[in-house]
Amino acid sequence: MRVASFGLAVALMCEMVSAAAPTPHDVEGPFYPDALPADIDDDLTTIHGHAGRARGERIRLGGRVVDTDGKALAGVRIELWQTDAGGRYIHSGDPLPGQRDPDFQGFGVATSDEFGRYRFTTVVPAGYASRPPHFHIRLLRGAREILITQLYLPRHNGERGIDASRLSLREASQTLRLGRAADGTLTGDFDFVLGNATPP
Ligand SMILES: [Fe+2]
């Protein structure tokens, strides 16, 4: 009996160690598009029918959607909205003066595959007011919202992003891991972890 209890305790401890913390919720903010663009695919740098490409530095976002045990969650709809390289949302109420980039999609959708994987191609958003550059994210299963959060970009190229050496635990759990693809394009990896409070 005692051996069984000890084994159970070890198993629970191992599970605690291996389980990942759920991705924190964050505020939706006021700029979820009030009218979705006609093109809502996972490449925000091009708009169907436009010859031009979005201004700004390209970044490929990608990762997985998993539960706290690391199990892949397929079929999750991931919505991304963000500013263009000039700091403007596609929302009609964005107060920043000037014209937004007409070739930037501003909003996109990806769906996690059988391995939980997703990816977006977009540009590095500009920060605005006192806020560092960030991506807004909403996850849905069917029509059901399961997570709203924001992702941060570590400082790179000497100017943009937050200081990765001074993150709170919460900020660290919402920050992309930056890298470079073979062709030199900036990459940002992030795994969305859904906990019991946000079951698939
Ligand atoms: Fe924002």
Side-chain angles (χ1 to χ4, degrees):
M1 187 67 175
R2 290 175 66 184
V3 172
S5 298
F6 178 73
L8 181 62
V10 169
L12 285 172
M13 283 173 66
C14 289
E15 189 169 307
M16 286 169 67
V17 169
S18 64
T23 303
H25 289 256
D26 206 335
V27 295
E28 179 177 329
F31 298 121
Y32 183 91
D34 48 352
L36 291 186
D39 186 357
I40 57 167
D41 68 0
D42 61 13
D43 184 351
L44 284 68
T45 66
T46 61
I47 296 177
H48 186 68
H50 288 220
R53 305 288 302 270
R55 294 192 295 267
E57 183 179 14
R58 297 277 179 284
I59 180 169
R60 292 191 195 126
L61 303 183
R64 301 174 71 218
V65 183
V66 297
D67 66 14
T68 51
D69 293 326
K71 181 168 147 275
L73 299 174
V76 175
R77 174 183 167 103
I78 303 153
E79 297 182 341
L80 162 68
W81 70 104
Q82 61 166 97
T83 71
D84 61 21
R88 296 176 181 84
Y89 287 96
I90 60 173
H91 194 286
S92 64
D94 187 330
L96 206 63
Q99 191 192 12
R100 64 180 178 80
D101 182 351
D103 297 316
F104 181 59
Q105 197 169 290
F107 174 94
V109 176
T111 303
S112 61
D113 69 11
E114 62 180 308
F115 302 106
R117 296 174 305 195
Y118 74 92
R119 65 181 298 175
F120 289 99
T121 302
T122 185
V123 299
V124 172
Y128 55 88
S130 61
R131 301 228 49 213
H134 57 277
F135 301 92
H136 291 272
I137 297 285
R138 186 162 83 125
L139 268 55
L140 301 101
R141 260 283 168 81
R144 188 158 61 100
E145 181 182 294
I146 49 179
L147 178 68
I148 283 193
T149 193
Q150 299 182 31
L151 303 182
Y152 296 100
L153 193 80
R155 186 173 297 165
H156 69 292
N157 292 345
E159 48 173 323
R160 289 175 156 177
I162 55 176
D163 183 350
S165 69
R166 298 174 58 189
L167 298 178
S168 68
L169 260 182
R170 182 190 171 92
E171 288 170 332
S173 64
Q174 292 177 241
T175 300
L176 300 171
R177 297 179 299 279
L178 289 187
R180 292 276 174 191
D183 64 1
T185 304
L186 189 65
T187 60
D189 293 330
F190 190 85
D191 291 341
F192 295 100
V193 180
L194 301 181
N196 291 334
T198 53

